[in-house]
Amino acid sequence: QVQLVDSGGGLVQAGGSLRLSCAASGFTFSSYAMGWFRQAPGKEREFVARISRAGGATYYGDSVKGRFTISRDNVKNTVYLRMNSLKPEDTAVYYCAADRSVSGSSDYHTYDYWGQGTQVTVSS
């Protein structure tokens, strides 16, 4: 059965760093683009980053460009999100997702599978 398990969230001070991981199983990981989204209380789910199937192309939301880096390991079936220079407005539940297209999308509706989410809280 398909599983995406998000981990790595936590409480960090502004300016700090975290690395999120998402371990995939139950499907052919290398055949899916992967994305990270986040959702803060009372807000819509927001696109954070996505990476193509082979990892050669990456895309970022404007609010995280230059601070976050998405990467993947198709041997370990894992996608990562390195988050630097964290700000209080980055506080949210972060979700990884899988999209069977080549490079994914910034629209969360197109994704087929979702992780359970991991909470990131940035204190000021």
Side-chain angles (χ1 to χ4, degrees):
Q1 106 221 30
V2 171
Q3 269 198 314
L4 291 174
V5 180
D6 303 325
S7 63
L11 173 63
V12 64
Q13 287 190 327
S17 298
L18 282 174
R19 188 180 80 156
L20 307 184
S21 299
C22 171
S25 61
F27 64 101
T28 306
F29 182 73
S30 59
S31 295
Y32 284 71
M34 297 298 296
W36 285 97
F37 291 80
R38 66 187 183 186
Q39 190 163 19
K43 294 191 175 180
E44 285 232 341
R45 192 161 294 196
E46 177 189 11
F47 167 69
V48 175
R50 58 188 170 99
I51 188 167
S52 60
R53 290 173 179 172
T58 57
Y59 309 85
Y60 297 92
D62 288 341
S63 60
V64 307
K65 272 180 191 172
R67 300 188 296 124
F68 290 11
T69 303
I70 188 170
S71 61
R72 66 188 295 161
D73 184 332
N74 284 352
V75 174
K76 295 183 177 179
N77 289 353
T78 302
V79 62
Y80 305 96
L81 185 69
R82 177 68 181 181
M83 306 186 295
N84 295 330
S85 303
L86 283 161
K87 306 175 182 179
E89 51 264 44
D90 293 319
T91 295
V93 178
Y94 284 70
Y95 301 88
C96 73
D99 181 333
R100 69 186 68 199
S101 69
V102 173
S103 59
S105 166
S106 304
D107 179 356
Y108 69 87
H109 294 98
T110 69
Y111 285 75
D112 302 287
Y113 309 126
W114 288 86
Q116 85 285 358
T118 185
Q119 176 72 47
V120 172
T121 304
V122 184
S123 63
S124 55

